[in-house]
Amino acid sequence: MRKLTILLTLLAAFLILASGCERIGDLPPGKAHAESPGAAEPHAAPPAAENPAEPNGCAPAFRALYDHAVFELQGEGEGEVLVVTDPLCWHCRLGHKLLAEYPKLWGKLRYSFFPRRSFIGSDMAAWVLEDAAGTDRLRALVDYAYTDLKQPKTDDLMTARMIVLVQFTQKFPDLLEGTTLEALFVRLQKDHEAHVLESAQLARVANLPGTPILVAGDRVVLGFGPGPWLQSLEQAKMCE
């Protein structure tokens, strides 16, 4: 029985890591389950400052991710912050909410999209958001994507992408102004698929295990946790 319990625990840990949406958080397990039905138990990780193997956010691989990102929001503070993210990842959504609540802890916030296989269709959400980069409607679109956008219930990639796009166009009908749903799908894929794939490849080059990843100056936090994220934002040393 003890061996079976150990095997089940190891299998659960593997599935959490493979899903690509990670949490290092200090939220009580009860709250995590209440907010996210079916969420995995949070797995512990030491704070960034106590982890000698933690990567440096000023390293070339992370600067390449920042420079490649086209999605940018303006905060009320100083410093450059990057989040490697997937719009359908639950912990990425918690990270987005946290950053929105503490705008004084960052100046420029960029999102580098790293769509995960377990969140089918999320690459379409990334295309929509990158398409809105630099426009007045970006904030509304990103808040919708990280709050209300639903996970498609299908195993077919093209169908999942269309389901995601339909949700956006129903919420924001102006996306279809002067075009059709099918034409918009084709244009978004043509204009943004390659760039999102390049972002994902840069994440792999940086040896990132999944999403979300917070990069605040020299500080890097793998996974989500309110405490570690806020500590890194407050203590980060900006790259020269």
Side-chain angles (χ1 to χ4, degrees):
M1 178 61 72
R2 184 176 180 182
K3 289 183 178 179
L4 178 59
T5 302
I6 294 173
L7 286 174
L8 289 175
T9 301
L10 291 174
L11 178 59
F14 171 78
L15 291 174
I16 291 170
L17 185 60
S19 71
C21 189
E22 298 186 13
R23 176 190 180 90
I24 61 172
D26 47 9
L27 287 177
K31 182 175 181 181
H33 285 291
E35 293 179 335
S36 177
E41 287 284 342
H43 56 282
E50 298 176 8
N51 187 351
E54 182 188 337
N56 188 323
C58 296
F62 290 103
R63 296 311 300 170
L65 276 165
Y66 183 86
D67 293 340
H68 189 260
V70 298
F71 174 111
E72 182 174 291
L73 297 174
Q74 294 294 324
E76 300 173 13
E78 299 179 355
E80 299 173 341
V81 174
L82 171 75
V83 179
V84 180
T85 181
D86 182 315
L88 292 177
C89 158
W90 175 253
H91 295 131
C92 296
R93 293 183 167 197
L94 293 177
H96 176 77
K97 181 176 182 292
L98 184 75
L99 291 170
E101 292 172 349
Y102 293 89
K104 293 184 179 180
L105 294 182
W106 48 273
K108 293 181 179 180
L109 170 63
R110 292 189 183 183
Y111 279 6
S112 178
F113 296 106
F114 190 13
R116 314 305 291 152
R117 257 185 285 183
S118 50
F119 303 113
I120 188 170
S122 65
D123 54 353
M124 172 58 77
W127 302 347
V128 171
L129 296 179
E130 288 203 346
D131 195 63
T135 70
D136 294 336
R137 64 186 180 189
L138 176 59
R139 172 65 79 171
L141 284 167
V142 69
D143 286 343
Y144 171 75
Y146 280 82
T147 304
D148 298 317
L149 188 66
K150 302 295 189 297
Q151 170 75 54
K153 296 181 179 180
T154 177
D155 293 327
D156 182 76
L157 178 58
M158 296 301 285
T159 301
R161 288 170 171 171
M162 182 59 79
I163 290 173
V164 168
L165 183 57
V166 167
Q167 291 182 73
F168 273 108
T169 57
Q170 288 178 343
K171 180 65 176 180
F172 304 94
D174 59 307
L175 291 174
L176 289 176
E177 185 175 344
T179 189
T180 65
L181 185 65
E182 293 76 13
L184 178 60
F185 185 110
V186 171
R187 183 184 69 76
L188 289 171
Q189 183 170 21
K190 178 181 178 181
D191 291 351
H192 301 288
E193 182 178 31
H195 185 267
V196 171
L197 288 173
E198 289 169 0
S199 297
Q201 181 57 32
L202 287 173
R204 295 186 187 96
V205 170
N207 295 316
L208 301 185
T211 57
I213 308 292
L214 173 73
V215 184
D218 64 331
R219 305 295 291 271
V220 178
V221 183
L222 307 179
F224 173 75
W229 275 42
L230 292 175
Q231 182 183 53
S232 292
L233 289 167
E234 293 169 347
Q235 299 179 2
K237 297 178 181 178
M238 293 300 106
C239 304
E240 297 181 358

